[in-house]
Amino acid sequence: KRTCFMKKVILALCMLLVLGSCTQIEPPTTEPVTTEEVPTENNGVIYLPYFSGENLDVFTVKSKTNTCLLSAVYDYLFYADSAYEPESDIVSSYLIEDNTITVYLNKNIRFSDSSPVTPKDIVYSFEAAAKGKYKDTLALVKSAKAKNDFVVFTFNEKVSKRHLLCLKFPIAKSK
C-alpha cells in the first residue's frame, strides 16, 4: 500500500511540474525583421569599455571589466587550450626536471614598441604577479631566475606538465 501511495504522490508531482510549466505560445509575427547595418570601417578606431575608477595595472586590477580588457592586451606565459592542456605563443620550448621548469622564449615575440621579450621581462612579470592578484596561481612557484635566453622556475614540489598552467600570468615589460 505504501509504495502505491508513493507512486501516486510522485505521479502527481510530475503532472504538476509538467502542467505548471505550460504557457501560451505567441504566434510568430508576419512583419519583416530589419537589422541595422553595422559599419565595417571606423577609421581604424576600436572602442573598448573600461572602469575608470581604478588604474589599468594588469597585476593589481580588481574589476571584471578591466580584467577582461587587459586579458586582450597582454600575452600570458602559458594558457589552457580547449582541452585544458598548456599552450604558449611566447615560449618556444620548455624542460621539466624534478622541481624546476626551464622556459625558452620565442625569439620572434616582441612588445608593442618592437622591443624583444627577454628573460628579465618574464622575471619582472612573475615577481609583480606573485605580489598581486596572481599570488594564488603562483603559490607553488618558489622563484624565477633569468638566464641568457631562458628562465628557470623553481617549484615547492616535484613538477609535471600540468604545472605549466601555474605559470599563467601576464607578461609586461620590465621597468
Side-chain angles (χ1 to χ4, degrees), residues 84-135:
Y84 298 103
E85 292 295 323
E87 288 289 328
S88 181
D89 295 324
I90 296 175
V91 174
S92 63
S93 63
Y94 58 85
L95 177 65
I96 297 173
E97 293 180 299
D98 297 322
N99 69 330
T100 64
I101 296 177
T102 303
V103 173
Y104 297 88
L105 301 178
N106 181 339
K107 295 182 190 316
N108 297 323
I109 298 297
R110 304 213 174 264
F111 287 107
S112 60
D113 67 355
S114 298
S115 63
V117 175
T118 67
K120 182 181 171 186
D121 297 318
I122 303 299
V123 172
Y124 164 79
S125 299
F126 165 77
E127 290 172 350
K131 291 177 195 167
K133 66 183 273 177
Y134 295 89
K135 66 181 173 190

Short mmCIF file of all heavy atoms in Angstrom, two decimals, residues 84-135:
data_model
loop_
_atom_site.label_atom_id
_atom_site.label_comp_id
_atom_site.label_asym_id
_atom_site.label_seq_id
_atom_site.Cartn_x
_atom_site.Cartn_y
_atom_site.Cartn_z
N TYR A 84 42.21 21.94 -21.98
CA TYR A 84 42.89 22.27 -20.73
C TYR A 84 44.34 21.78 -20.70
O TYR A 84 44.88 21.46 -19.65
CB TYR A 84 42.11 21.75 -19.51
CG TYR A 84 40.75 22.37 -19.41
CD1 TYR A 84 39.61 21.67 -19.79
CD2 TYR A 84 40.60 23.68 -18.99
CE1 TYR A 84 38.37 22.26 -19.74
CE2 TYR A 84 39.35 24.27 -18.93
CZ TYR A 84 38.25 23.56 -19.30
OH TYR A 84 37.02 24.15 -19.25
N GLU A 85 44.95 21.77 -21.85
CA GLU A 85 46.38 21.45 -21.97
C GLU A 85 47.15 22.76 -22.08
O GLU A 85 46.67 23.72 -22.67
CB GLU A 85 46.65 20.58 -23.20
CG GLU A 85 46.07 19.18 -23.11
CD GLU A 85 46.72 18.34 -22.03
OE1 GLU A 85 47.94 18.46 -21.82
OE2 GLU A 85 46.00 17.58 -21.37
N PRO A 86 48.36 22.82 -21.50
CA PRO A 86 49.14 24.06 -21.57
C PRO A 86 49.58 24.40 -22.99
O PRO A 86 50.02 23.52 -23.73
CB PRO A 86 50.36 23.78 -20.69
CG PRO A 86 50.20 22.41 -20.16
CD PRO A 86 49.00 21.78 -20.75
N GLU A 87 49.42 25.65 -23.36
CA GLU A 87 49.84 26.17 -24.67
C GLU A 87 50.56 27.49 -24.44
O GLU A 87 50.36 28.14 -23.41
CB GLU A 87 48.62 26.43 -25.56
CG GLU A 87 47.96 25.18 -26.08
CD GLU A 87 48.79 24.45 -27.14
OE1 GLU A 87 49.52 25.12 -27.90
OE2 GLU A 87 48.72 23.23 -27.17
N SER A 88 51.36 27.90 -25.41
CA SER A 88 52.04 29.19 -25.31
C SER A 88 52.40 29.72 -26.69
O SER A 88 52.73 28.94 -27.58
CB SER A 88 53.30 29.09 -24.47
OG SER A 88 53.92 30.35 -24.39
N ASP A 89 52.33 31.03 -26.83
CA ASP A 89 52.80 31.70 -28.03
C ASP A 89 54.16 32.33 -27.77
O ASP A 89 54.89 32.66 -28.69
CB ASP A 89 51.82 32.79 -28.46
CG ASP A 89 50.48 32.23 -28.88
OD1 ASP A 89 50.45 31.14 -29.47
OD2 ASP A 89 49.46 32.88 -28.60
N ILE A 90 54.49 32.53 -26.50
CA ILE A 90 55.71 33.21 -26.11
C ILE A 90 56.87 32.23 -25.94
O ILE A 90 58.01 32.57 -26.20
CB ILE A 90 55.48 33.98 -24.79
CG1 ILE A 90 54.45 35.08 -25.03
CG2 ILE A 90 56.76 34.55 -24.23
CD1 ILE A 90 54.06 35.82 -23.78
N VAL A 91 56.55 31.01 -25.53
CA VAL A 91 57.56 30.00 -25.22
C VAL A 91 57.82 29.14 -26.45
O VAL A 91 56.90 28.61 -27.06
CB VAL A 91 57.09 29.12 -24.04
CG1 VAL A 91 58.06 27.98 -23.78
CG2 VAL A 91 56.92 29.97 -22.79
N SER A 92 59.10 28.98 -26.81
CA SER A 92 59.43 28.11 -27.95
C SER A 92 59.58 26.67 -27.48
O SER A 92 59.23 25.74 -28.20
CB SER A 92 60.70 28.58 -28.64
OG SER A 92 61.80 28.51 -27.77
N SER A 93 60.09 26.47 -26.24
CA SER A 93 60.20 25.12 -25.68
C SER A 93 60.37 25.24 -24.17
O SER A 93 60.61 26.33 -23.63
CB SER A 93 61.39 24.37 -26.29
OG SER A 93 62.60 25.02 -25.99
N TYR A 94 60.26 24.10 -23.50
CA TYR A 94 60.43 24.07 -22.05
C TYR A 94 61.00 22.71 -21.66
O TYR A 94 60.90 21.74 -22.40
CB TYR A 94 59.11 24.35 -21.31
CG TYR A 94 58.01 23.39 -21.67
CD1 TYR A 94 57.87 22.16 -21.02
CD2 TYR A 94 57.10 23.71 -22.67
CE1 TYR A 94 56.85 21.28 -21.35
CE2 TYR A 94 56.08 22.83 -23.00
CZ TYR A 94 55.96 21.63 -22.34
OH TYR A 94 54.95 20.76 -22.67
N LEU A 95 61.59 22.67 -20.47
CA LEU A 95 62.19 21.46 -19.94
C LEU A 95 61.71 21.29 -18.51
O LEU A 95 61.85 22.21 -17.70
CB LEU A 95 63.73 21.56 -19.99
CG LEU A 95 64.52 20.40 -19.41
CD1 LEU A 95 64.28 19.13 -20.23
CD2 LEU A 95 65.99 20.75 -19.39
N ILE A 96 61.15 20.11 -18.20
CA ILE A 96 60.65 19.82 -16.86
C ILE A 96 61.62 18.84 -16.20
O ILE A 96 61.89 17.76 -16.75
CB ILE A 96 59.23 19.21 -16.93
CG1 ILE A 96 58.27 20.22 -17.54
CG2 ILE A 96 58.78 18.75 -15.56
CD1 ILE A 96 56.88 19.68 -17.81
N GLU A 97 62.17 19.23 -15.05
CA GLU A 97 63.09 18.38 -14.29
C GLU A 97 62.81 18.54 -12.81
O GLU A 97 62.84 19.66 -12.30
CB GLU A 97 64.55 18.78 -14.55
CG GLU A 97 65.04 18.53 -15.95
CD GLU A 97 66.49 18.96 -16.10
OE1 GLU A 97 66.76 20.15 -15.91
OE2 GLU A 97 67.31 18.09 -16.38
N ASP A 98 62.60 17.44 -12.12
CA ASP A 98 62.39 17.44 -10.66
C ASP A 98 61.44 18.55 -10.23
O ASP A 98 60.26 18.47 -10.48
CB ASP A 98 63.72 17.52 -9.91
CG ASP A 98 64.60 16.30 -10.18
OD1 ASP A 98 64.04 15.19 -10.27
OD2 ASP A 98 65.82 16.47 -10.33
N ASN A 99 61.99 19.61 -9.59
CA ASN A 99 61.13 20.69 -9.12
C ASN A 99 61.34 22.00 -9.90
O ASN A 99 61.03 23.07 -9.41
CB ASN A 99 61.36 20.93 -7.62
CG ASN A 99 62.73 21.52 -7.33
OD1 ASN A 99 63.68 21.28 -8.05
ND2 ASN A 99 62.81 22.31 -6.26
N THR A 100 61.86 21.87 -11.14
CA THR A 100 62.07 23.08 -11.96
C THR A 100 61.45 22.94 -13.34
O THR A 100 61.32 21.84 -13.87
CB THR A 100 63.57 23.39 -12.14
OG1 THR A 100 64.17 22.33 -12.88
CG2 THR A 100 64.27 23.61 -10.83
N ILE A 101 61.08 24.09 -13.87
CA ILE A 101 60.65 24.19 -15.28
C ILE A 101 61.51 25.27 -15.91
O ILE A 101 61.53 26.42 -15.44
CB ILE A 101 59.16 24.54 -15.41
CG1 ILE A 101 58.29 23.42 -14.84
CG2 ILE A 101 58.80 24.80 -16.87
CD1 ILE A 101 56.80 23.69 -14.87
N THR A 102 62.24 24.90 -16.94
CA THR A 102 63.06 25.86 -17.69
C THR A 102 62.29 26.24 -18.95
O THR A 102 61.86 25.37 -19.70
CB THR A 102 64.42 25.24 -18.06
OG1 THR A 102 65.07 24.82 -16.85
CG2 THR A 102 65.29 26.25 -18.78
N VAL A 103 62.12 27.53 -19.15
CA VAL A 103 61.32 28.06 -20.25
C VAL A 103 62.23 28.81 -21.21
O VAL A 103 62.94 29.73 -20.81
CB VAL A 103 60.22 29.00 -19.69
CG1 VAL A 103 59.49 29.69 -20.81
CG2 VAL A 103 59.26 28.24 -18.81
N TYR A 104 62.22 28.39 -22.48
CA TYR A 104 62.98 29.05 -23.54
C TYR A 104 62.02 29.92 -24.34
O TYR A 104 60.97 29.45 -24.79
CB TYR A 104 63.66 28.02 -24.45
CG TYR A 104 64.67 27.18 -23.70
CD1 TYR A 104 64.27 26.01 -23.05
CD2 TYR A 104 65.99 27.57 -23.63
CE1 TYR A 104 65.19 25.25 -22.34
CE2 TYR A 104 66.92 26.82 -22.93
CZ TYR A 104 66.51 25.66 -22.28
OH TYR A 104 67.42 24.91 -21.58
N LEU A 105 62.38 31.18 -24.51
CA LEU A 105 61.47 32.15 -25.14
C LEU A 105 61.55 32.11 -26.66
O LEU A 105 62.62 31.89 -27.23
CB LEU A 105 61.80 33.56 -24.66
CG LEU A 105 61.72 33.77 -23.15
CD1 LEU A 105 62.13 35.18 -22.81
CD2 LEU A 105 60.33 33.47 -22.66
N ASN A 106 60.40 32.36 -27.28
CA ASN A 106 60.33 32.52 -28.72
C ASN A 106 61.01 33.84 -29.06
O ASN A 106 60.61 34.90 -28.59
CB ASN A 106 58.85 32.53 -29.15
CG ASN A 106 58.66 32.67 -30.62
OD1 ASN A 106 59.55 33.13 -31.34
ND2 ASN A 106 57.50 32.27 -31.09
N LYS A 107 62.04 33.79 -29.85
CA LYS A 107 62.84 34.99 -30.17
C LYS A 107 62.08 35.99 -31.05
O LYS A 107 62.50 37.14 -31.18
CB LYS A 107 64.15 34.59 -30.82
CG LYS A 107 65.05 33.81 -29.88
CD LYS A 107 66.36 33.47 -30.53
CE LYS A 107 67.23 32.52 -29.77
NZ LYS A 107 67.41 32.65 -28.40
N ASN A 108 60.98 35.58 -31.66
CA ASN A 108 60.21 36.46 -32.54
C ASN A 108 59.14 37.27 -31.80
O ASN A 108 58.50 38.12 -32.40
CB ASN A 108 59.55 35.65 -33.65
CG ASN A 108 60.58 34.98 -34.54
OD1 ASN A 108 61.63 35.55 -34.81
ND2 ASN A 108 60.29 33.77 -34.97
N ILE A 109 58.94 37.00 -30.53
CA ILE A 109 57.91 37.71 -29.77
C ILE A 109 58.45 39.07 -29.34
O ILE A 109 59.55 39.19 -28.81
CB ILE A 109 57.48 36.89 -28.53
CG1 ILE A 109 56.86 35.57 -28.97
CG2 ILE A 109 56.52 37.67 -27.65
CD1 ILE A 109 55.60 35.71 -29.78
N ARG A 110 57.63 40.10 -29.59
CA ARG A 110 58.03 41.48 -29.29
C ARG A 110 56.89 42.21 -28.59
O ARG A 110 55.73 41.88 -28.75
CB ARG A 110 58.38 42.21 -30.57
CG ARG A 110 59.47 41.49 -31.36
CD ARG A 110 60.34 42.47 -32.10
NE ARG A 110 61.45 41.81 -32.74
CZ ARG A 110 62.65 41.70 -32.20
NH1 ARG A 110 62.90 42.20 -31.03
NH2 ARG A 110 63.63 41.10 -32.84
N PHE A 111 57.27 43.22 -27.84
CA PHE A 111 56.28 44.12 -27.24
C PHE A 111 55.76 45.06 -28.32
O PHE A 111 56.30 45.10 -29.43
CB PHE A 111 56.91 44.91 -26.09
CG PHE A 111 57.18 44.10 -24.86
CD1 PHE A 111 58.47 43.74 -24.52
CD2 PHE A 111 56.13 43.68 -24.05
CE1 PHE A 111 58.72 42.99 -23.39
CE2 PHE A 111 56.37 42.92 -22.92
CZ PHE A 111 57.67 42.57 -22.59
N SER A 112 54.75 45.84 -27.99
CA SER A 112 54.15 46.74 -28.98
C SER A 112 55.12 47.82 -29.45
O SER A 112 54.95 48.37 -30.53
CB SER A 112 52.89 47.39 -28.41
OG SER A 112 53.21 48.14 -27.25
N ASP A 113 56.17 48.11 -28.68
CA ASP A 113 57.18 49.08 -29.11
C ASP A 113 58.30 48.43 -29.93
O ASP A 113 59.33 49.04 -30.18
CB ASP A 113 57.76 49.83 -27.91
CG ASP A 113 58.58 48.94 -26.99
OD1 ASP A 113 58.65 47.70 -27.23
OD2 ASP A 113 59.15 49.47 -26.03
N SER A 114 58.13 47.17 -30.31
CA SER A 114 59.06 46.38 -31.12
C SER A 114 60.28 45.86 -30.37
O SER A 114 61.14 45.23 -30.96
CB SER A 114 59.53 47.14 -32.36
OG SER A 114 58.42 47.43 -33.18
N SER A 115 60.37 46.10 -29.07
CA SER A 115 61.49 45.55 -28.31
C SER A 115 61.21 44.08 -28.01
O SER A 115 60.06 43.68 -27.83
CB SER A 115 61.71 46.33 -27.02
OG SER A 115 60.59 46.22 -26.17
N PRO A 116 62.25 43.24 -27.97
CA PRO A 116 62.04 41.81 -27.73
C PRO A 116 61.63 41.52 -26.29
O PRO A 116 62.01 42.24 -25.37
CB PRO A 116 63.41 41.20 -28.04
CG PRO A 116 64.38 42.30 -27.83
CD PRO A 116 63.66 43.57 -28.17
N VAL A 117 60.88 40.45 -26.09
CA VAL A 117 60.55 39.97 -24.76
C VAL A 117 61.77 39.20 -24.26
O VAL A 117 62.26 38.29 -24.93
CB VAL A 117 59.31 39.06 -24.78
CG1 VAL A 117 59.04 38.46 -23.40
CG2 VAL A 117 58.09 39.82 -25.28
N THR A 118 62.28 39.59 -23.09
CA THR A 118 63.51 38.99 -22.56
C THR A 118 63.23 38.19 -21.29
O THR A 118 62.18 38.38 -20.66
CB THR A 118 64.54 40.10 -22.23
OG1 THR A 118 64.03 40.87 -21.13
CG2 THR A 118 64.83 40.99 -23.43
N PRO A 119 64.17 37.34 -20.88
CA PRO A 119 64.01 36.64 -19.60
C PRO A 119 63.84 37.62 -18.43
O PRO A 119 63.10 37.33 -17.49
CB PRO A 119 65.31 35.85 -19.48
CG PRO A 119 65.69 35.56 -20.89
CD PRO A 119 65.33 36.84 -21.63
N LYS A 120 64.49 38.78 -18.51
CA LYS A 120 64.34 39.80 -17.46
C LYS A 120 62.88 40.26 -17.36
O LYS A 120 62.35 40.47 -16.27
CB LYS A 120 65.26 40.98 -17.78
CG LYS A 120 65.23 42.09 -16.76
CD LYS A 120 66.15 43.23 -17.17
CE LYS A 120 65.96 44.43 -16.26
NZ LYS A 120 66.71 45.59 -16.70
N ASP A 121 62.20 40.40 -18.51
CA ASP A 121 60.78 40.79 -18.52
C ASP A 121 59.92 39.71 -17.87
O ASP A 121 58.96 40.01 -17.15
CB ASP A 121 60.30 41.03 -19.95
CG ASP A 121 61.01 42.18 -20.63
OD1 ASP A 121 61.23 43.22 -19.98
OD2 ASP A 121 61.36 42.01 -21.82
N ILE A 122 60.26 38.45 -18.13
CA ILE A 122 59.49 37.33 -17.55
C ILE A 122 59.63 37.33 -16.04
O ILE A 122 58.64 37.20 -15.31
CB ILE A 122 59.96 35.97 -18.15
CG1 ILE A 122 59.84 35.96 -19.67
CG2 ILE A 122 59.18 34.83 -17.51
CD1 ILE A 122 58.46 36.16 -20.23
N VAL A 123 60.85 37.50 -15.53
CA VAL A 123 61.07 37.51 -14.08
C VAL A 123 60.39 38.72 -13.45
O VAL A 123 59.75 38.61 -12.40
CB VAL A 123 62.58 37.47 -13.76
CG1 VAL A 123 62.82 37.69 -12.27
CG2 VAL A 123 63.17 36.14 -14.21
N TYR A 124 60.49 39.89 -14.09
CA TYR A 124 59.80 41.08 -13.58
C TYR A 124 58.29 40.81 -13.49
O TYR A 124 57.66 41.12 -12.47
CB TYR A 124 60.07 42.28 -14.49
CG TYR A 124 59.11 43.42 -14.26
CD1 TYR A 124 59.29 44.28 -13.18
CD2 TYR A 124 58.02 43.62 -15.09
CE1 TYR A 124 58.41 45.32 -12.93
CE2 TYR A 124 57.12 44.65 -14.86
CZ TYR A 124 57.32 45.50 -13.78
OH TYR A 124 56.43 46.52 -13.54
N SER A 125 57.72 40.24 -14.53
CA SER A 125 56.29 39.96 -14.57
C SER A 125 55.91 38.94 -13.51
O SER A 125 54.88 39.08 -12.84
CB SER A 125 55.88 39.46 -15.95
OG SER A 125 56.14 40.44 -16.93
N PHE A 126 56.74 37.90 -13.36
CA PHE A 126 56.49 36.88 -12.33
C PHE A 126 56.45 37.53 -10.94
O PHE A 126 55.55 37.28 -10.15
CB PHE A 126 57.56 35.79 -12.37
CG PHE A 126 57.59 34.93 -11.15
CD1 PHE A 126 56.63 33.95 -10.96
CD2 PHE A 126 58.54 35.12 -10.16
CE1 PHE A 126 56.63 33.17 -9.82
CE2 PHE A 126 58.55 34.35 -9.03
CZ PHE A 126 57.59 33.37 -8.84
N GLU A 127 57.45 38.35 -10.63
CA GLU A 127 57.52 38.98 -9.31
C GLU A 127 56.34 39.92 -9.06
O GLU A 127 55.77 39.94 -7.97
CB GLU A 127 58.85 39.70 -9.15
CG GLU A 127 60.02 38.73 -9.04
CD GLU A 127 61.39 39.38 -9.08
OE1 GLU A 127 61.48 40.61 -9.38
OE2 GLU A 127 62.38 38.67 -8.83
N ALA A 128 55.96 40.68 -10.06
CA ALA A 128 54.80 41.59 -9.92
C ALA A 128 53.51 40.79 -9.77
O ALA A 128 52.65 41.13 -8.95
CB ALA A 128 54.72 42.52 -11.13
N ALA A 129 53.38 39.71 -10.54
CA ALA A 129 52.17 38.89 -10.48
C ALA A 129 52.06 38.17 -9.12
O ALA A 129 50.98 38.06 -8.55
CB ALA A 129 52.18 37.86 -11.61
N ALA A 130 53.20 37.70 -8.60
CA ALA A 130 53.20 36.98 -7.32
C ALA A 130 52.82 37.88 -6.16
O ALA A 130 52.30 37.40 -5.14
CB ALA A 130 54.57 36.35 -7.09
N LYS A 131 53.05 39.18 -6.29
CA LYS A 131 52.67 40.13 -5.24
C LYS A 131 51.23 40.61 -5.40
O LYS A 131 50.64 41.13 -4.48
CB LYS A 131 53.58 41.36 -5.29
CG LYS A 131 55.00 41.09 -4.89
CD LYS A 131 55.81 42.37 -5.04
CE LYS A 131 57.29 42.07 -5.02
NZ LYS A 131 58.08 43.21 -5.46
N GLY A 132 50.68 40.46 -6.60
CA GLY A 132 49.35 40.99 -6.91
C GLY A 132 48.29 39.92 -6.96
O GLY A 132 48.31 38.94 -6.20
N LYS A 133 47.40 40.07 -7.91
CA LYS A 133 46.22 39.20 -7.99
C LYS A 133 46.51 37.77 -8.43
O LYS A 133 45.65 36.91 -8.38
CB LYS A 133 45.14 39.83 -8.87
CG LYS A 133 45.54 39.94 -10.32
CD LYS A 133 44.48 40.64 -11.13
CE LYS A 133 43.48 39.65 -11.61
NZ LYS A 133 42.38 40.21 -12.33
N TYR A 134 47.74 37.47 -8.85
CA TYR A 134 48.09 36.12 -9.30
C TYR A 134 48.81 35.32 -8.21
O TYR A 134 49.32 34.24 -8.48
CB TYR A 134 48.96 36.20 -10.57
CG TYR A 134 48.21 36.78 -11.73
CD1 TYR A 134 48.19 38.15 -11.95
CD2 TYR A 134 47.50 35.97 -12.59
CE1 TYR A 134 47.48 38.70 -13.01
CE2 TYR A 134 46.78 36.51 -13.65
CZ TYR A 134 46.78 37.87 -13.85
OH TYR A 134 46.06 38.40 -14.90
N LYS A 135 48.84 35.84 -6.99
CA LYS A 135 49.61 35.16 -5.94
C LYS A 135 49.09 33.77 -5.65
O LYS A 135 49.88 32.87 -5.35
CB LYS A 135 49.68 36.01 -4.68
CG LYS A 135 48.37 36.23 -3.97
CD LYS A 135 48.57 37.11 -2.76
CE LYS A 135 47.20 37.46 -2.18
NZ LYS A 135 47.30 38.48 -1.16
#
